[in-house]
């Protein structure tokens, strides 16, 4: 039995505690017909995720993030066999106890692209990013409307406007220096944000940490995971995580990816979405990527320009 988790304090007390989580996960596995299999919790992830034997993964969502569990199950079901990169197949999903939800899915084998990346030869890296571009194009070409009842935002233009209104305050909370903060209002006012209502299915965190590769198969991509933060909106929004965390501001790799995607994007548009992204943390990006630019316009070219 898992206890109610609706507040940050309850989350901190329950979610990391395996003496509480494991019995609840074991009981659920028994209900789902996979009881008795080895249960191993993954170290990564904001919510509890377990390998169940060699064929299954169980993902648990407390009441505080129960909607994410519903979204992930719906998106994964919608994506079945739709992308050139495999995605998990939903085996079972639903409500558990005390507001918890679960998704039992197939396990995709390989290793995370992020830890594997330093060992991957440059030609294979280039092929990987081209494969990413093709997968993104396929994702964005899907009909997203069947998911409109479960994925945010309902109005993309209103979402942009709300994010723009709070952009400076959000970055100030993260500790962005004033020299950068003072540039944000004018940069966003001049940014080429689309005012059309084109809607695509977005992963929103398409990055090495959510991709799986298999060295035994020549470093082919064997999985794309973690769709709970999926949204419906402008395809360019997805390129923020791609450029910052998949190609890591490498203009040649980004050019390869966009060539396979079949479309280019204005660097200033991607910089604007970097500031408007729901998980935007510009001070962190600056520490990670160590750019030479000192203005947002120059940063747009350095991070999102292609070679």
């Amino acid at each position: 039995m898992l206890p109610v988790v609706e507040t940050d304090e309850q989350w901190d007390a329950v979610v990391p505690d395996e003496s509480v989580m494991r019995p609840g996960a074991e009981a659920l596995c028994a209900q789902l017909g996979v009881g008795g299999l080895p249960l191993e919790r993954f170290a990564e992830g904001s919510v509890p995720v377990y390998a169940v034997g060699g064929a299954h993964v169980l993902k648990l969502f407390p009441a505080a993030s129960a909607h994410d569990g519903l979204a992930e199950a719906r998106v994964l079901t919608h994506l079945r066999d739709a992308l050139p990169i495999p995605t998990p197949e939903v085996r079972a999903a639903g409500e558990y106890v005390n507001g918890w939800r679960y998704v039992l899915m197939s396990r995709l084998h390989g290793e995370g692209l992020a830890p594997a990346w330093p060992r991957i030869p440059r030609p294979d890296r280039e092929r990987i990013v081209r494969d990413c571009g093709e997968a993104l194009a396929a994702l964005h070409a899907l009909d997203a409307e069947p998911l409109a009842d479960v994925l945010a935002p309902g109005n993309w233009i209103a979402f942009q406007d709300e994010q723009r209104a709070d952009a400076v305050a959000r970055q100030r909370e993260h500790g962005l220096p004033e020299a950068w903060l003072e540039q944000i209002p004018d940069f966003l006012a001049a940014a080429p944000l689309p005012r059309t209502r084109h809607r695509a299915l977005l992963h929103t965190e398409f990055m090495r940490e959510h991709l799986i590769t298999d060295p035994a198969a020549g470093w082919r991509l064997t999985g794309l995971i973690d769709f709970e933060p999926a949204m419906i909106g402008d395809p360019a929004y997805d390129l923020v995580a791609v450029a910052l965390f998949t190609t890591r501001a490498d203009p040649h790799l980004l050019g390869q990816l966009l060539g396979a995607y079949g479309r280019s994007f204005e660097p200033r548009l991607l910089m604007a979405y970097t500031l408007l992204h729901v998980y935007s943390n510009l001070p962190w990006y600056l520490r990670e990527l160590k750019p030479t630019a000192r203005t947002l316009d120059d940063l747009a070219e350095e991070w999102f320009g292609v070679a």
Side-chain angles (χ1 to χ4, degrees), residues 217-234:
W219 298 110
R220 294 288 172 181
L221 291 175
T222 55
L224 173 62
I225 60 174
D226 285 355
F227 282 87
E228 71 268 21
M231 298 172 69
I232 298 176
D234 183 3

Side-chain angles (χ1 to χ4, degrees), residues 164 184-193 268 272 297:
R164 189 200 317 246
I184 292 175
D186 288 344
F187 182 86
L188 290 177
L193 290 168
R268 292 173 67 250
D297 286 293

Side-chain angles (χ1 to χ4, degrees), residues 47 56 80 158 187 247:
V47 297
H56 310 284
R80 183 173 181 179
F187 182 86
T247 60

Side-chain angles (χ1 to χ4, degrees), residues 135-159:
L136 271 176
L139 177 68
H140 294 167
L142 293 175
D143 180 11
E145 291 309 308
L147 300 170
D149 63 321
V150 72
L151 296 186
N155 184 317
W156 186 256
I157 295 174
F159 166 75

Side-chain angles (χ1 to χ4, degrees), residues 159 163 170-171 203-206 229 231 237-241 271-281 285:
F159 166 75
Q163 293 298 101
R170 285 197 309 275
Q171 300 301 335
H203 184 287
T204 77
E205 291 191 299
F206 194 105
M231 298 172 69
Y237 187 88
D238 246 352
L239 270 294
V240 173
M271 188 67 231
Y273 277 139
T274 300
L275 296 167
L276 301 181
H277 200 285
V278 292
Y279 301 127
S280 179
N281 187 332
Y285 307 156

Side-chain angles (χ1 to χ4, degrees), residues 1-3 14 17-31 39 41 50 58 60 96-97:
M1 179 68 70
L2 293 175
V14 172
D17 189 346
E18 274 296 270
S19 69
V20 176
M21 292 303 310
R22 179 168 291 271
E26 290 173 343
L28 177 58
C29 285
Q31 291 181 26
L39 197 64
R41 183 165 177 172
Y50 295 88
L58 177 66
L60 294 168
Y96 187 27
V97 292

